[in-house]
Amino acid sequence: MTRVFRKILFLTTAFSLTCVSALLGKQQPQVKVNVLNVCTPSAEEQKEISSALSRVPKQPLFSEDFEVARGRSSLTEAPGFLQAGQSTQISDEPSVATWVRLRREFSMQALFSTVQYSFSDDGKNMIETLVLHVRDPKDLVQLSIEDSASSVTSPAAMLAASSPASRIKLERFGKSSVVLARCTAAEGGPAPDQSAYEPLFASASLVLTNYRTLLNARHTVPDELARVATATSKPKVGRGQSSAPKSAGSGADKK
């Protein structure tokens, strides 16, 4: 009788566990993965990119509010406002990047609310990013344009050369992003034919060049990076001088 009872208990427990597992399996949310085709976007996505670029004001009216920020960051990944495109080389080893960020606000009549320009130099690559935020996002949330160059030259030389755009990204409300980036040849294969997208890259480059001028980036960025370098450099101690600060009350009191 005891054996029969144990057998019934085992079957009942196994059945209960099976039901619980099936119920938990049904409750697990489905994971949807969107793969962005950044090298050859569709015709509809090309139209969206072209429309967004055409709506960027060429001679905007800025409000009096603005922001200029600079800093030094130890990082293994690029900050969110400096995300690199496919052609940019990012090392897995920790690196140090010096950066400058400029921000201006548009007047109330503009489609976009703010424009943010960022420049970063990690000693290997220099990355320039322009981000325009939409005031009332319904479909489009923000437009970003990026270019990059090797650090074999100086930031001032890169800015003076007006490097062309290498990456365009549209962030959309409730939809996946639309991205167009310069793509190089994959291992064992030829580089993709991107000649059809040259007008979009050219249009994005004009926007980037225009706002580089409007925000006075060619002068502000090198000046601010020089301030970062001065702030991070160790003060030199002369011969016969102590690096320890003098006490405020080190001298003899006069009566």
Side-chain angles (χ1 to χ4, degrees):
M1 186 68 180
T2 304
R3 294 181 179 178
V4 174
F5 177 77
R6 289 180 179 176
K7 185 175 183 181
I8 295 174
L9 180 61
F10 174 79
L11 293 176
T12 304
T13 304
F15 178 78
S16 300
L17 293 175
T18 303
C19 294
V20 172
S21 300
L23 182 60
L24 292 176
K26 291 181 179 179
Q27 292 179 349
Q28 291 180 354
Q30 295 182 353
V31 179
K32 183 178 181 181
V33 179
N34 294 321
V35 179
L36 301 180
N37 187 2
V38 301
C39 297
T40 56
S42 65
E44 182 178 353
E45 291 175 335
Q46 294 176 54
K47 290 181 180 179
E48 290 192 51
I49 295 175
S50 178
S51 176
L53 292 172
S54 66
R55 300 172 73 180
V56 178
K58 295 180 175 62
Q59 296 180 341
L61 295 176
F62 292 128
S63 68
E64 296 181 355
D65 298 334
F66 69 94
E67 173 188 328
V68 178
R70 64 180 181 270
R72 174 186 183 276
S73 300
S74 301
L75 47 90
T76 55
E77 295 181 0
F81 62 89
L82 297 174
Q83 291 180 357
Q86 180 176 345
S87 59
T88 304
Q89 297 179 357
I90 300 294
S91 175
D92 293 334
E93 300 180 356
S95 61
V96 174
T98 55
W99 53 267
V100 176
R101 180 172 64 240
L102 314 174
R103 183 185 62 84
R104 292 298 302 265
E105 295 187 4
F106 292 102
S107 63
M108 292 299 295
Q109 292 79 13
L111 167 68
F112 299 96
S113 59
T114 61
V115 56
Q116 179 175 289
Y117 171 91
S118 303
F119 188 97
S120 174
D121 184 2
D122 66 357
K124 296 180 180 180
N125 299 286
M126 294 181 292
I127 305 172
E128 188 180 22
T129 309
L130 184 74
V131 181
L132 296 108
H133 300 271
V134 175
R135 187 178 304 278
D136 297 316
K138 296 179 181 179
D139 184 22
L140 180 65
V141 176
Q142 72 177 33
L143 162 67
S144 62
I145 304 172
E146 178 189 294
D147 75 324
S148 60
S150 174
S151 292
V152 294
T153 184
S154 65
M158 174 185 174
L159 293 169
S162 298
S163 300
S166 59
R167 180 180 174 91
I168 310 167
K169 181 179 180 180
L170 305 182
E171 289 194 13
R172 303 182 296 178
F173 186 78
K175 300 179 181 179
S176 59
S177 300
V178 175
V179 183
L180 171 61
R182 295 280 188 185
C183 296
T184 57
E187 295 183 2
D193 183 10
Q194 293 187 301
S195 57
Y197 316 117
E198 287 304 326
L200 295 177
F201 283 118
S203 180
S205 299
L206 288 176
V207 172
L208 184 56
T209 299
N210 185 36
Y211 277 82
R212 192 186 289 120
T213 300
L214 291 171
L215 299 174
N216 197 27
R218 289 188 177 91
H219 297 90
T220 304
V221 168
D223 291 345
E224 295 298 322
L225 289 177
R227 290 185 174 93
V228 175
T230 301
T232 55
S233 61
K234 295 182 179 180
K236 296 181 180 180
V237 180
R239 182 178 297 178
Q241 296 181 354
S242 173
S243 59
K246 293 182 179 180
S247 173
S250 59
D253 296 335
K254 294 182 180 179
K255 295 183 178 179

PDB file of all heavy atoms in Angstrom, residues 162-177:
ATOM      1  N   SER A 162      36.894  70.397 -42.807  1.00  0.00           N
ATOM      2  CA  SER A 162      35.466  70.084 -42.965  1.00  0.00           C
ATOM      3  C   SER A 162      35.273  68.638 -43.413  1.00  0.00           C
ATOM      4  O   SER A 162      34.812  68.353 -44.529  1.00  0.00           O
ATOM      5  CB  SER A 162      34.807  71.048 -43.972  1.00  0.00           C
ATOM      6  OG  SER A 162      34.869  72.372 -43.515  1.00  0.00           O
ATOM      7  N   SER A 163      35.629  67.734 -42.550  1.00  0.00           N
ATOM      8  CA  SER A 163      35.518  66.300 -42.861  1.00  0.00           C
ATOM      9  C   SER A 163      34.085  65.943 -43.243  1.00  0.00           C
ATOM     10  O   SER A 163      33.132  66.404 -42.601  1.00  0.00           O
ATOM     11  CB  SER A 163      35.948  65.460 -41.663  1.00  0.00           C
ATOM     12  OG  SER A 163      37.289  65.741 -41.318  1.00  0.00           O
ATOM     13  N   PRO A 164      33.886  65.124 -44.278  1.00  0.00           N
ATOM     14  CA  PRO A 164      32.527  64.769 -44.712  1.00  0.00           C
ATOM     15  C   PRO A 164      31.841  63.826 -43.738  1.00  0.00           C
ATOM     16  O   PRO A 164      32.496  63.099 -42.985  1.00  0.00           O
ATOM     17  CB  PRO A 164      32.761  64.089 -46.069  1.00  0.00           C
ATOM     18  CG  PRO A 164      34.152  63.531 -45.968  1.00  0.00           C
ATOM     19  CD  PRO A 164      34.919  64.508 -45.135  1.00  0.00           C
ATOM     20  N   ALA A 165      30.520  63.836 -43.773  1.00  0.00           N
ATOM     21  CA  ALA A 165      29.732  62.972 -42.892  1.00  0.00           C
ATOM     22  C   ALA A 165      29.948  61.505 -43.262  1.00  0.00           C
ATOM     23  O   ALA A 165      30.033  61.148 -44.437  1.00  0.00           O
ATOM     24  CB  ALA A 165      28.257  63.335 -42.991  1.00  0.00           C
ATOM     25  N   SER A 166      30.027  60.667 -42.240  1.00  0.00           N
ATOM     26  CA  SER A 166      30.210  59.230 -42.460  1.00  0.00           C
ATOM     27  C   SER A 166      29.066  58.402 -41.895  1.00  0.00           C
ATOM     28  O   SER A 166      29.010  57.198 -42.137  1.00  0.00           O
ATOM     29  CB  SER A 166      31.526  58.760 -41.824  1.00  0.00           C
ATOM     30  OG  SER A 166      31.534  59.030 -40.431  1.00  0.00           O
ATOM     31  N   ARG A 167      28.151  59.035 -41.158  1.00  0.00           N
ATOM     32  CA  ARG A 167      27.061  58.292 -40.535  1.00  0.00           C
ATOM     33  C   ARG A 167      25.873  59.219 -40.307  1.00  0.00           C
ATOM     34  O   ARG A 167      26.036  60.332 -39.789  1.00  0.00           O
ATOM     35  CB  ARG A 167      27.523  57.687 -39.207  1.00  0.00           C
ATOM     36  CG  ARG A 167      26.458  56.879 -38.462  1.00  0.00           C
ATOM     37  CD  ARG A 167      27.057  56.345 -37.172  1.00  0.00           C
ATOM     38  NE  ARG A 167      26.087  55.681 -36.309  1.00  0.00           N
ATOM     39  CZ  ARG A 167      25.805  54.383 -36.344  1.00  0.00           C
ATOM     40  NH1 ARG A 167      26.432  53.600 -37.200  1.00  0.00           N
ATOM     41  NH2 ARG A 167      24.918  53.860 -35.528  1.00  0.00           N
ATOM     42  N   ILE A 168      24.680  58.769 -40.684  1.00  0.00           N
ATOM     43  CA  ILE A 168      23.438  59.516 -40.494  1.00  0.00           C
ATOM     44  C   ILE A 168      22.464  58.592 -39.770  1.00  0.00           C
ATOM     45  O   ILE A 168      22.286  57.441 -40.173  1.00  0.00           O
ATOM     46  CB  ILE A 168      22.829  59.963 -41.840  1.00  0.00           C
ATOM     47  CG1 ILE A 168      23.884  60.653 -42.715  1.00  0.00           C
ATOM     48  CG2 ILE A 168      21.630  60.884 -41.621  1.00  0.00           C
ATOM     49  CD1 ILE A 168      23.450  60.831 -44.155  1.00  0.00           C
ATOM     50  N   LYS A 169      21.831  59.121 -38.732  1.00  0.00           N
ATOM     51  CA  LYS A 169      20.911  58.286 -37.956  1.00  0.00           C
ATOM     52  C   LYS A 169      19.636  59.046 -37.630  1.00  0.00           C
ATOM     53  O   LYS A 169      19.693  60.194 -37.174  1.00  0.00           O
ATOM     54  CB  LYS A 169      21.579  57.823 -36.654  1.00  0.00           C
ATOM     55  CG  LYS A 169      20.698  56.922 -35.806  1.00  0.00           C
ATOM     56  CD  LYS A 169      21.426  56.466 -34.547  1.00  0.00           C
ATOM     57  CE  LYS A 169      20.560  55.556 -33.697  1.00  0.00           C
ATOM     58  NZ  LYS A 169      21.251  55.109 -32.468  1.00  0.00           N
ATOM     59  N   LEU A 170      18.501  58.408 -37.864  1.00  0.00           N
ATOM     60  CA  LEU A 170      17.200  58.937 -37.471  1.00  0.00           C
ATOM     61  C   LEU A 170      16.643  58.062 -36.356  1.00  0.00           C
ATOM     62  O   LEU A 170      16.498  56.852 -36.529  1.00  0.00           O
ATOM     63  CB  LEU A 170      16.213  58.921 -38.647  1.00  0.00           C
ATOM     64  CG  LEU A 170      16.608  59.625 -39.947  1.00  0.00           C
ATOM     65  CD1 LEU A 170      15.464  59.523 -40.943  1.00  0.00           C
ATOM     66  CD2 LEU A 170      16.982  61.067 -39.695  1.00  0.00           C
ATOM     67  N   GLU A 171      16.372  58.668 -35.219  1.00  0.00           N
ATOM     68  CA  GLU A 171      15.689  57.953 -34.148  1.00  0.00           C
ATOM     69  C   GLU A 171      14.208  58.295 -34.231  1.00  0.00           C
ATOM     70  O   GLU A 171      13.830  59.463 -34.168  1.00  0.00           O
ATOM     71  CB  GLU A 171      16.267  58.341 -32.781  1.00  0.00           C
ATOM     72  CG  GLU A 171      17.657  57.804 -32.555  1.00  0.00           C
ATOM     73  CD  GLU A 171      18.074  57.893 -31.095  1.00  0.00           C
ATOM     74  OE1 GLU A 171      17.194  58.150 -30.239  1.00  0.00           O
ATOM     75  OE2 GLU A 171      19.267  57.714 -30.817  1.00  0.00           O
ATOM     76  N   ARG A 172      13.376  57.250 -34.353  1.00  0.00           N
ATOM     77  CA  ARG A 172      11.946  57.436 -34.586  1.00  0.00           C
ATOM     78  C   ARG A 172      11.138  57.016 -33.374  1.00  0.00           C
ATOM     79  O   ARG A 172      11.542  56.139 -32.616  1.00  0.00           O
ATOM     80  CB  ARG A 172      11.516  56.664 -35.836  1.00  0.00           C
ATOM     81  CG  ARG A 172      12.287  57.056 -37.089  1.00  0.00           C
ATOM     82  CD  ARG A 172      11.795  56.294 -38.305  1.00  0.00           C
ATOM     83  NE  ARG A 172      12.025  54.866 -38.189  1.00  0.00           N
ATOM     84  CZ  ARG A 172      11.654  53.974 -39.112  1.00  0.00           C
ATOM     85  NH1 ARG A 172      11.059  54.398 -40.216  1.00  0.00           N
ATOM     86  NH2 ARG A 172      11.894  52.689 -38.952  1.00  0.00           N
ATOM     87  N   PHE A 173       9.982  57.639 -33.230  1.00  0.00           N
ATOM     88  CA  PHE A 173       9.113  57.356 -32.096  1.00  0.00           C
ATOM     89  C   PHE A 173       8.349  56.064 -32.342  1.00  0.00           C
ATOM     90  O   PHE A 173       7.595  55.936 -33.293  1.00  0.00           O
ATOM     91  CB  PHE A 173       8.123  58.512 -31.895  1.00  0.00           C
ATOM     92  CG  PHE A 173       7.271  58.370 -30.665  1.00  0.00           C
ATOM     93  CD1 PHE A 173       7.783  58.671 -29.420  1.00  0.00           C
ATOM     94  CD2 PHE A 173       5.966  57.922 -30.761  1.00  0.00           C
ATOM     95  CE1 PHE A 173       7.007  58.554 -28.284  1.00  0.00           C
ATOM     96  CE2 PHE A 173       5.179  57.786 -29.631  1.00  0.00           C
ATOM     97  CZ  PHE A 173       5.700  58.103 -28.386  1.00  0.00           C
ATOM     98  N   GLY A 174       8.558  55.067 -31.477  1.00  0.00           N
ATOM     99  CA  GLY A 174       7.856  53.799 -31.583  1.00  0.00           C
ATOM    100  C   GLY A 174       8.298  52.922 -32.731  1.00  0.00           C
ATOM    101  O   GLY A 174       7.648  51.916 -33.021  1.00  0.00           O
ATOM    102  N   LYS A 175       9.393  53.258 -33.387  1.00  0.00           N
ATOM    103  CA  LYS A 175       9.896  52.462 -34.509  1.00  0.00           C
ATOM    104  C   LYS A 175      11.405  52.280 -34.351  1.00  0.00           C
ATOM    105  O   LYS A 175      12.049  52.966 -33.563  1.00  0.00           O
ATOM    106  CB  LYS A 175       9.604  53.141 -35.852  1.00  0.00           C
ATOM    107  CG  LYS A 175       8.133  53.378 -36.147  1.00  0.00           C
ATOM    108  CD  LYS A 175       7.968  54.070 -37.488  1.00  0.00           C
ATOM    109  CE  LYS A 175       6.518  54.353 -37.811  1.00  0.00           C
ATOM    110  NZ  LYS A 175       6.365  55.060 -39.109  1.00  0.00           N
ATOM    111  N   SER A 176      11.946  51.369 -35.132  1.00  0.00           N
ATOM    112  CA  SER A 176      13.389  51.190 -35.125  1.00  0.00           C
ATOM    113  C   SER A 176      14.061  52.367 -35.819  1.00  0.00           C
ATOM    114  O   SER A 176      13.451  53.087 -36.616  1.00  0.00           O
ATOM    115  CB  SER A 176      13.761  49.881 -35.838  1.00  0.00           C
ATOM    116  OG  SER A 176      13.301  49.903 -37.179  1.00  0.00           O
ATOM    117  N   SER A 177      15.320  52.574 -35.502  1.00  0.00           N
ATOM    118  CA  SER A 177      16.064  53.680 -36.085  1.00  0.00           C
ATOM    119  C   SER A 177      16.391  53.412 -37.553  1.00  0.00           C
ATOM    120  O   SER A 177      16.394  52.269 -38.009  1.00  0.00           O
ATOM    121  CB  SER A 177      17.362  53.918 -35.302  1.00  0.00           C
ATOM    122  OG  SER A 177      17.093  54.234 -33.959  1.00  0.00           O
TER     123      SER A 177
END
